[in-house]
C-alpha cells in the first residue's frame, strides 16, 4: 500500500498510527495531520526510529482547500479519520472520494444514519431501523408521537 494519511492526533489516531507502524511492510510512510501540529509531533516522537517514515502536518480539515493541498502534496494511498460528527465537516469525505483514495473512518455511534445516534427506539424500548429502511424523518415522527403521549419527552 505505501502511504497513509491519518487525520487527527487524538486517542483513536494514536492507535491507528501505532498499528500502521507495526505493519511497516504495508505502511512504509504515514503523515499525521491535525489542527494542532504539536500533538502530531508528540505522537511522531513516540514512534520515530522504526521502519515506517513518519511526517506531520498542520491542517484545518474544515478548510477543504488545506486538506486538498496536503493530499496533493503527500499523495496518500489511504486516509483514516475518526468520527467527523463535531470536529470535522463531511466536505472532506467528498474531497477524498473525488480523488479515489480509500477512506477508513472510525465511528463510535450511528449519527450519520440516525438522528438519535443509537438506532434505538426509547419509546418502545427496542432497536430501531426506521432510518435505515426509510427516511430519517421517521425517527422524528416517532419521537413526536411518543412525546404527545407523554411517555418520552415532557
Amino acid at each position: 500500500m505505501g502511504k497513509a494519511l491519518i487525520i487527527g492526533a487524538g486517542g483513536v489516531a494514536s492507535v491507528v498510527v501505532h498499528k500502521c507502524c507495526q505493519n511497516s511492510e504495508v505502511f512504509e510512510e504515514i503523515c499525521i495531520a491535525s489542527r494542532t501540529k504539536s500533538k502530531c509531533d508528540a505522537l511522531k516522537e513516540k514512534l520515530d526510529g522504526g521502519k515506517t517514515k513518519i511526517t506531520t502536518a498542520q491542517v484545518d480539515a474544515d478548510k477543504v482547500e488545506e486538506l486538498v493541498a496536503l493530499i496533493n502534496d503527500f499523495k496518500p494511498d489511504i486516509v483514516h479519520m475518526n468520527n467527523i460528527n463535531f470536529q470535522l465537516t463531511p466536505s472532506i469525505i467528498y474531497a477524498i472520494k473525488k480523488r479515489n483514495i480509500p477512506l477508513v473512518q472510525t465511528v463510535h455511534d450511528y449519527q450519520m444514519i440516525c438522528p438519535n445516534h443509537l438506532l434505538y427506539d426509547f419509546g418502545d424500548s427496542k432497536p430501531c431501523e426506521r432510518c435505515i429502511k426509510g427516511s430519517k424523518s421517521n425517527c422524528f415522527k416517532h419521537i413526536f408521537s411518543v412525546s404527545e403521549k407523554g411517555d418520552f419527552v415532557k
Side-chain angles (χ1 to χ4, degrees):
M1 184 158 288
K3 299 170 85 172
L5 173 60
I6 314 299
I7 300 173
V12 170
S14 176
V15 171
V16 172
V17 170
H18 277 84
K19 293 297 179 185
C20 287
C21 289
Q22 289 173 348
N23 292 286
S24 57
E25 67 282 351
V26 176
F27 300 103
E28 298 158 355
E29 186 175 353
I30 60 173
C31 177
I32 311 164
S34 175
R35 285 185 183 102
T36 311
K37 190 170 182 294
S38 60
K39 289 182 181 180
C40 301
D41 293 337
L43 191 51
K44 175 187 175 185
E45 191 175 311
K46 288 180 186 176
L47 296 166
D48 228 2
K51 292 180 181 178
T52 302
K53 178 183 176 185
I54 303 172
T55 59
T56 63
Q58 182 172 2
V59 65
D60 183 344
D62 282 339
K63 296 180 179 172
V64 177
E65 64 280 357
E66 283 186 25
L67 180 63
V68 168
L70 177 60
I71 289 170
N72 290 340
D73 183 49
F74 184 66
K75 297 176 181 48
D77 298 302
I78 193 166
V79 176
H80 175 272
M81 63 184 183
N82 192 19
N83 257 1
I84 65 165
N85 301 346
F86 304 107
Q87 295 87 9
L88 303 173
T89 173
S91 61
I92 66 173
I93 294 173
Y94 305 123
I96 295 164
K97 185 175 174 105
K98 186 176 179 181
R99 284 152 184 77
N100 295 315
I101 302 170
L103 172 65
V104 176
Q105 182 180 0
T106 301
V107 294
H108 303 277
D109 58 33
Y110 301 104
Q111 181 180 5
M112 295 184 85
I113 58 171
C114 175
N116 80 6
H117 303 211
L118 302 171
L119 290 177
Y120 191 79
D121 181 335
F122 289 96
D124 291 335
S125 299
K126 65 181 184 180
C128 174
E129 295 184 352
R130 287 182 186 93
C131 298
I132 296 171
K133 296 178 180 175
S135 168
K136 288 184 174 61
S137 65
N138 289 326
C139 181
F140 292 109
K141 289 176 190 173
H142 182 72
I143 289 171
F144 290 119
S145 70
V146 172
S147 68
E148 288 170 5
K149 295 177 198 170
D151 296 338
F152 183 62
V153 179
K154 294 191 182 215

